[in-house]
Amino acid sequence: MAAALWTGQSLRYEKPQLRLATGPRKEVPSKVLFDPPALPHGGNLLIHHVQGGVHRVVELQLVLGGNAADVEGIILQQRPTRHNATENLVQIQPMPDPLDLGPTAPQPPSFFPPAVMLPVFSLVVLCTFRPILATNGTRPNIILLLMDDMGWGDLGVFGEPSRETPNLDRMASEGVLFPDFYTANPLCSPSRASLLTGRLPIRNGFYTTNDHARNAYTPQEILGGIPDSEVLLPELLKKAGYINKIVGKWHLGHRTKYHPLSRGFDEWFGSPNCHFGPYDNTERPNIPVYRDWEMIGRYYEDILINHKTGESNLTQMYLQEAVNFISKYGAIKHPFFMYWAIDATHAPVYASSRFLGSSRRGLYGDAVREIDFSVGKILELLRNMGIAKDTFVFFTSDNGAALISAPNQGGSNSPFLCGKQTTFEGGMRVPGIAWWPGHLVAGQVSYQLSSIMDLFTTCLVLAGLDPPSDRVIDGIDLSPVILEGKEIERPIFYYRGNELMAVRWGPYKAHYWTWSNSWEELSQGINFCPGQNITGITTHDQVEHLQPLLFHLGRDPGEKYPIRPTSIEYKSAMLEISPVVRQHQDSMIPGEPQLNVCDLAVMNWSPPGCEKLGSMSAEDQRAVLRRSVREFPDFPSPGICFRDITPVLKDPAAFSAAIDLFESYLRENFPKIDLIAGLDARGFLFGPALAQRFGIGFVLIRKKGKLPGPTESVSYSLEYGKAEIAIQTDAVDPGQKVVIIDDLLATGGTMAAACELLTKRNADILICLVLIELTDLKGAEKLRPHPVHALLQYD
């Protein structure tokens, strides 16, 4: 609504007529309050209509006349109210004018006094958004500071007795503190997926169905990652002209197709995985660190982390990346989005030499102090550059502290129960601080139930963008909360893997399932709730509570004292919670699970850029390969020593070395390849991995009768008789450039037949690749004129 149209007056219509798209016009004995008043000549508005315990949000056209308001529109949302409405309420709100970009437009007062607002269960801004402009007339810069495994109780502002976070405490005093801020999942990867999509992990696919209620993440052997169907925050901000950078841990898939620069980010300094290690580069490689598209080194090799002392300069490197990015784009007043996702407080914990030994809390405290220092430097830079009022900053953590690593490598979730991996408060409730000088009233404490998913929607709204309308968005818009001090009634859903474990509604939390961790894990010393065993609550079996365990988190933040199911309080609270849960579960459509399948072959053996870093030489790779080849003397006949590659298939380092050597040879010699053709079973094992490196197709040549559909075949002679191999008739097009791959070249009969088969299809055979060539058997001669390349040759 344009500023000039706001007169500061309120108009009341005692008997409006409400006509919805779902039914005829009818008179509703309701109260209508226009505050500020509607447009003089009508216009697009929102109406919040409460009747019979149901709250409807309607987009409508309003025509004013006489003593009535005729409205006509479409229901956008319909859901139960928190309380049974004792009277019908209609709230009409003018929709914002998308063309009014003036920063001085007055903010309308609240629509109802507190006593009247109680029945309304509202959610998000639903219509056209305009950016809340920075002082320089551009869209605001956005910085999200996401910590890794930092607990709610790690901050001085939340009562940590050492008081070693002065910069974060100051940030809270200058902004809005959220004591009731939640992650979307008690584990790293799913919570990050939810932050960037605004959707629960069960919707965006970051969960597993391999086991019930099991958390899952993205180790370097995972096949999955963030699906193409999901729309990420940086992708949307990019359309509004933002420059986007991620600093730190990505954790949404490490394969090329999941690269953050493919998902809206313009710059990246960090890693696709956590800084686990060191590894020996034979069974598994060390984790790479990237600058933009290419790796620049690996943890423990080029980016050092000393487990013994805990020393690493990584946080300082991440700080410098942030300073450089802010300085570059802040100086030219170009709106930017920085996602600063550092991992110093994730075990193995680290800090730079300047901070080692500086904390009363040990090494973990050292890491927290360095993070606090770094946040202080970032905010100081914004102030010194004069862009603090142009920059919205939010600080939080991906999940609660990992008590399994405490006390030396883990933080504090006090006063809450348990920690990371669990859906008790210690695993899900995290720090939340919003900071935006000149826009937020300093020193606010908001008890708004809020979630890491809300940052998705809120950032879009602040940037003047509509959240996606083609999917369910679980994050709500917090801008009315931080800018106007409002509270929005909404539930918090606690998921663990594929199961809804608990729900919070107001001060109440209902556990439908309880589970800390398994008895088997406990017997191995793994405990997600050390020192906090509460009978019937921190269960080591997965326990479903058909009569949910109910806690009042205001009186009992530690979830120790369930409310008696026979009490009036229990029955009243569950009367409100049950329909919210039922509606959520009835409407839930899970996404395709991305975290079900692992494959050692997809680990970070050779990320883009590794060939420039003096990685393992070809000679060393052949040595690794040769160590995995097994000899069988006098087979298949006396005087012949057969070489078996089965151990190569069982050794990820050897397998990766083979693929690397094949890839290197092909890239050096053939500028264009259309297909990889795998010869029978062993070719099938190597061929797809190689085709994936090139982003091309793979076809299979097998013994006749093993392939479905129409095939074409050729026969060839073996010592024991005739054999036939076949290829599907539509597998290869004439003129396509094909590489044939197999494990072993002996007499060459099968490979020669494959060449004949592809020649009949008018394919262009570039090379016959084999892992091993037994040169004495002269198989290569049989293949002429087709060339052969073997990684290893034996007599």
Side-chain angles (χ1 to χ4, degrees):
M1 184 185 67
L5 296 176
W6 184 32
T7 65
Q9 300 174 351
S10 296
L11 304 177
R12 288 184 180 272
Y13 294 92
E14 294 300 330
K15 291 187 177 182
Q17 291 186 339
L18 181 66
R19 182 171 65 218
L20 303 181
T22 55
R25 177 185 302 213
K26 59 182 179 181
E27 186 172 297
V28 181
S30 308
K31 294 179 181 178
V32 175
L33 174 64
F34 299 137
D35 192 0
L39 306 181
H41 304 293
N44 289 326
L45 303 172
L46 289 183
I47 184 167
H48 297 258
H49 174 235
V50 179
Q51 182 180 21
V54 176
H55 173 227
R56 297 179 178 89
V57 182
V58 184
E59 182 179 355
L60 53 90
Q61 286 280 336
L62 177 68
V63 180
L64 296 181
N67 196 33
D70 292 346
V71 294
E72 183 173 357
I74 301 173
I75 294 178
L76 298 180
Q77 286 196 3
Q78 179 171 311
R79 56 186 67 244
T81 60
R82 181 179 179 183
H83 304 285
N84 290 328
T86 57
E87 62 177 346
N88 296 318
L89 299 174
V90 175
Q91 170 192 348
I92 294 183
Q93 169 189 354
M95 291 173 60
D97 179 359
L99 298 179
D100 174 22
L101 301 181
T104 59
Q107 295 296 314
S110 60
F111 289 105
F112 291 108
V116 182
M117 281 296 290
L118 280 175
V120 179
F121 174 32
S122 60
L123 275 188
V124 297
V125 177
L126 294 172
C127 295
T128 304
F129 298 95
R130 63 180 177 183
I132 299 174
L133 297 182
T135 57
N136 59 12
T138 69
R139 300 170 191 267
N141 307 313
I142 298 170
I143 298 177
L144 299 183
L145 307 171
L146 182 70
M147 302 304 104
D148 202 337
D149 291 7
M150 181 178 278
W152 191 94
D154 282 330
L155 273 61
V157 70
F158 285 134
E160 201 288 314
S162 298
R163 310 290 290 186
E164 294 179 343
T165 55
N167 292 294
L168 287 167
D169 298 347
R170 178 185 174 185
M171 181 183 180
S173 72
E174 295 175 348
V176 181
L177 182 68
F178 287 86
D180 292 318
F181 196 82
Y182 287 88
T183 185
N185 185 274
L187 199 63
C188 308
S189 295
S191 65
R192 292 160 194 266
S194 291
L195 185 158
L196 292 179
T197 64
R199 287 154 56 82
L200 286 163
I202 193 73
R203 297 194 207 273
N204 64 39
F206 258 61
Y207 69 101
T208 180
T209 55
N210 290 341
D211 289 295
H212 176 254
R214 288 277 184 179
N215 291 317
Y217 72 112
T218 54
Q220 60 170 321
E221 58 265 33
I222 199 74
L223 283 176
I226 194 68
D228 291 340
S229 58
E230 292 298 316
V231 181
L232 272 58
L233 176 61
E235 293 175 312
L236 295 170
L237 292 176
K238 194 177 184 72
K239 294 178 180 179
Y242 279 75
I243 296 292
N244 306 319
K245 177 160 187 163
I246 171 175
V247 179
K249 186 166 83 171
W250 170 236
H251 230 212
L252 300 186
H254 68 275
R255 298 165 66 198
T256 302
K257 63 194 264 186
Y258 303 121
H259 194 288
L261 268 61
S262 298
R263 302 311 306 267
F265 285 104
D266 300 289
E267 300 180 18
W268 180 28
F269 180 81
S271 176
N273 308 97
C274 197
H275 60 278
F276 291 135
Y279 302 116
D280 59 8
N281 284 322
T282 55
E283 291 188 3
R284 61 180 55 227
N286 281 314
I287 306 297
V289 175
Y290 278 74
R291 179 172 297 286
D292 299 334
W293 285 105
E294 296 185 344
M295 68 172 283
I296 59 169
R298 294 183 186 270
Y299 287 134
Y300 304 98
E301 298 174 20
D302 310 283
I303 313 296
L304 301 181
I305 303 173
N306 188 318
H307 279 197
K308 186 175 181 180
T309 65
E311 182 177 354
S312 176
N313 288 326
L314 192 53
T315 299
Q316 291 302 305
M317 296 168 69
Y318 288 150
L319 173 59
Q320 191 60 51
E321 288 293 320
V323 168
N324 292 346
F325 180 72
I326 293 169
S327 299
K328 179 179 179 180
Y329 292 103
I332 62 174
K333 308 300 183 185
H334 194 293
F336 62 79
F337 166 52
M338 184 178 73
Y339 175 42
W340 201 64
I342 68 172
D343 64 355
T345 44
H346 189 298
V349 173
Y350 59 81
S352 63
S353 59
R354 175 180 175 182
F355 292 91
L356 287 178
S358 67
S359 171
R360 296 180 182 88
R361 303 178 61 194
L363 178 58
Y364 181 87
D366 296 340
V368 171
R369 290 203 66 193
E370 186 166 18
I371 287 172
D372 178 77
F373 169 84
S374 300
V375 172
K377 286 297 182 183
I378 291 172
L379 300 186
E380 181 183 14
L381 175 62
L382 296 173
R383 295 187 193 99
N384 292 341
M385 292 186 67
I387 59 172
K389 293 183 178 180
D390 304 330
T391 308
F392 172 74
V393 184
F394 200 97
F395 177 93
T396 188
S397 178
D398 61 349
N399 47 251
L403 300 187
I404 185 177
S405 305
N408 296 326
Q409 298 271 327
S412 169
N413 298 314
S414 181
F416 304 121
L417 183 61
C418 299
K420 178 180 179 177
Q421 296 269 11
T422 77
T423 49
F424 299 107
E425 289 297 286
M428 295 284 289
R429 204 186 300 201
V430 292
I433 305 173
W435 186 86
W436 195 6
H439 296 269
L440 312 185
V441 177
Q444 292 183 75
V445 177
S446 173
Y447 291 94
Q448 170 69 51
L449 294 188
S450 40
S451 164
I452 202 169
M453 296 178 290
D454 301 341
L455 298 178
F456 173 88
T457 306
T458 304
C459 290
L460 291 177
V461 171
L462 296 182
L465 299 172
D466 294 338
S469 59
D470 62 342
R471 64 200 63 214
V472 174
I473 300 296
D474 296 294
I476 70 171
D477 173 25
L478 294 178
S479 61
V481 177
I482 60 176
L483 297 175
E484 303 171 49
K486 294 184 178 181
E487 285 194 27
I488 303 167
E489 198 164 45
R490 58 88 67 87
I492 294 291
F493 297 108
Y494 301 68
Y495 271 88
R496 183 167 175 171
N498 59 350
E499 184 60 70
L500 177 63
M501 304 288 285
V503 177
R504 179 172 177 184
W505 181 256
Y508 294 102
K509 180 179 179 182
H511 286 268
Y512 290 82
W513 288 83
T514 53
W515 187 37
S516 56
N517 60 301
S518 69
W519 289 106
E520 180 183 0
E521 290 171 326
L522 189 65
S523 69
Q524 299 168 0
I526 300 172
N527 191 348
F528 297 158
C529 308
Q532 295 181 304
N533 182 52
I534 304 176
T535 302
I537 298 174
T538 57
T539 55
H540 293 290
D541 295 309
Q542 294 185 13
V543 178
E544 183 177 13
H545 300 277
L546 299 179
Q547 191 170 57
L549 297 181
L550 184 69
F551 299 90
H552 188 291
L553 294 180
R555 300 191 303 262
D556 180 21
E559 299 172 276
K560 298 177 181 177
Y561 308 105
I563 298 171
R564 287 184 297 106
T566 56
S567 68
I568 295 176
E569 181 182 18
Y570 182 96
K571 294 175 182 177
S572 176
M574 290 308 301
L575 196 62
E576 296 184 8
I577 294 173
S578 295
V580 173
V581 173
R582 187 163 52 249
Q583 188 273 338
H584 174 76
Q585 292 181 321
D586 289 347
S587 62
M588 173 58 66
I589 302 176
E592 184 73 23
Q594 298 296 306
L595 308 181
N596 277 355
V597 182
C598 289
D599 185 347
L600 297 178
V602 303
M603 292 194 291
N604 295 293
W605 293 108
S606 56
C610 72
E611 70 280 358
K612 302 176 183 178
L613 298 175
S615 299
M616 189 182 297
S617 67
E619 182 179 348
D620 290 339
Q621 288 179 316
R622 282 189 170 84
V624 170
L625 198 56
R626 210 178 285 274
R627 286 198 298 268
S628 295
V629 175
R630 185 166 51 185
E631 296 184 354
F632 284 96
D634 298 320
F635 180 84
S637 59
I640 300 293
C641 183
F642 185 79
R643 263 73 177 189
D644 177 29
I645 64 123
T646 300
V648 174
L649 304 177
K650 297 166 68 175
D651 183 345
F655 185 89
S656 180
I659 300 300
D660 287 348
L661 290 167
F662 280 139
E663 179 186 10
S664 178
Y665 174 81
L666 291 177
R667 291 194 185 278
E668 289 175 8
N669 292 278
F670 303 102
K672 178 174 173 53
I673 304 171
D674 296 317
L675 285 174
I676 304 291
L679 190 52
D680 218 31
R682 294 294 174 83
F684 177 73
L685 293 174
F686 289 102
L690 188 57
Q692 185 184 53
R693 295 280 183 94
F694 285 88
I696 59 177
F698 171 79
V699 298
L700 186 60
I701 301 173
R702 295 207 65 184
K703 292 178 182 177
K704 187 176 181 181
K706 297 291 186 180
L707 293 173
T711 60
E712 187 169 346
S713 63
V714 297
S715 61
Y716 60 101
S717 298
L718 294 171
E719 292 182 3
Y720 53 79
K722 291 278 188 180
E724 284 187 275
I725 58 171
I727 189 171
Q728 290 175 318
T729 54
D730 59 354
V732 180
D733 295 330
Q736 284 194 304
K737 299 181 182 298
V738 181
V739 171
I740 308 175
I741 188 169
D742 198 8
D743 65 325
L744 180 73
L745 179 62
T747 60
T750 308
M751 182 70 82
C755 291
E756 180 184 349
L757 194 58
L758 289 171
T759 300
K760 290 175 65 175
R761 300 294 306 159
N762 293 317
D764 181 4
I765 301 172
L766 300 177
I767 192 77
C768 299
L769 286 183
V770 292
L771 195 69
I772 294 172
E773 179 187 2
L774 303 179
T775 56
D776 282 354
L777 298 181
K778 303 185 184 305
E781 296 181 6
K782 186 176 291 187
L783 298 180
R784 291 175 183 167
H786 303 297
V788 176
H789 176 73
L791 300 184
L792 301 176
Q793 291 182 322
Y794 296 94
D795 295 336

